[in-house]
Amino acid sequence: MFPFMSDILHTGDHILFYYSNWHADMSFLIMLGRDANGRWQHRGSYRFFKETEEPYFIEDLSYSEPWLYLSNHFEPEILRINLDSLTSSAP
C-alpha cells in the first residue's frame, strides 16, 4: 500500500511524525509524548484539510516554541498550529 513517513520532529517533550498512505486515503500527524514513567505514549492523531475539504498532505514539519509549522511543496499555504492547543486536546 506504499505508506510512508514524510518527516519526523522531536521537540524535546514530543515526537511528531506524518504518516501517509495515498492509496488508502489515510494521512495523519501522529504525536507521541512521555508518560509519568518516561515512556513514549501515543498522544493524538490529527488530520488537516484545505478549505475545499481535501486532505492537506504534509511534507515538512518545523517547530519554534510554541508553533508547529506544516508545509507541502505543492501548496502555497503553511499551516501554523500552536502545539499547546494540540497537547491540551490530546487524551
Side-chain angles (χ1 to χ4, degrees):
M1 291 258 196
F2 306 108
F4 72 93
M5 286 189 295
S6 62
D7 204 357
I8 298 174
L9 178 67
H10 185 267
T11 68
D13 295 329
H14 299 91
I15 295 175
L16 298 120
F17 63 92
Y18 190 71
Y19 167 86
S20 182
N21 184 331
W22 291 335
H23 297 285
D25 194 28
M26 296 185 327
S27 56
F28 302 92
L29 177 69
I30 310 294
M31 181 172 45
L32 305 175
R34 291 193 187 266
D35 66 9
N37 296 322
R39 294 177 296 200
W40 291 103
Q41 299 289 321
H42 178 260
R43 295 290 183 224
S45 298
Y46 308 93
R47 295 186 80 181
F48 301 96
F49 296 91
K50 303 176 200 175
E51 289 181 10
T52 60
E53 298 183 20
E54 295 176 76
Y56 184 91
F57 293 104
I58 299 166
E59 291 181 340
D60 297 306
L61 302 172
S62 184
Y63 180 70
S64 179
E65 192 173 346
W67 300 106
L68 177 63
Y69 296 92
L70 313 172
S71 65
N72 177 319
H73 291 46
F74 302 105
E75 300 290 338
E77 301 90 18
I78 295 175
L79 302 180
R80 185 176 86 160
I81 300 164
N82 188 314
L83 187 59
D84 294 336
S85 69
L86 286 182
T87 57
S88 66
S89 66

